[in-house]
Amino acid sequence: MVEGVCGPVDSVAVGQTVFDSEALGTVYLFCASVNKALDRNHPARPPAHRGLSMAEHLAFVQPLLPGFHRRQQEVLQLLDREFPADN
């Protein structure tokens, strides 16, 4: 779907497609939240967190992983409901 995107109009169309689908919108938001938590230099992270050492960062992220796993399973179930596999 995104492979043929080549410009702002196409980008808006892809974005609309994603957010018109509850499952795809949920996947997008889930991926964004994981990226924000795992990327030490993400611009949305508090400034104090951007300078953490790798060990400090891992100590901060590790407690989040079970929640990410649970949420990942919920997102996968939502995708299965909205886009059932053709058997």
Side-chain angles (χ1 to χ4, degrees):
M1 173 171 66
V2 176
E3 184 177 321
V5 173
C6 58
V9 173
D10 288 342
S11 297
V12 169
V14 168
Q16 189 63 49
T17 299
V18 168
F19 286 105
D20 281 347
S21 162
E22 179 185 357
L24 294 178
T26 301
V27 167
Y28 176 85
L29 295 173
F30 170 73
C31 292
S33 67
V34 170
N35 184 45
K36 178 182 171 186
L38 298 181
D39 182 354
R40 289 190 321 170
N41 297 312
H42 193 283
R45 295 186 59 79
H49 288 220
R50 291 186 210 144
L52 296 176
S53 70
M54 182 58 77
E56 292 168 325
H57 177 68
L58 291 175
F60 176 77
V61 170
Q62 188 173 10
L64 303 175
L65 297 180
F68 285 149
H69 179 71
R70 179 188 49 74
R71 185 70 180 130
Q72 176 191 32
Q73 298 308 306
E74 293 168 358
V75 168
L76 291 173
Q77 289 174 2
L78 183 60
L79 281 169
D80 285 343
R81 282 194 306 272
E82 190 164 328
F83 304 102
D86 295 330
N87 293 344

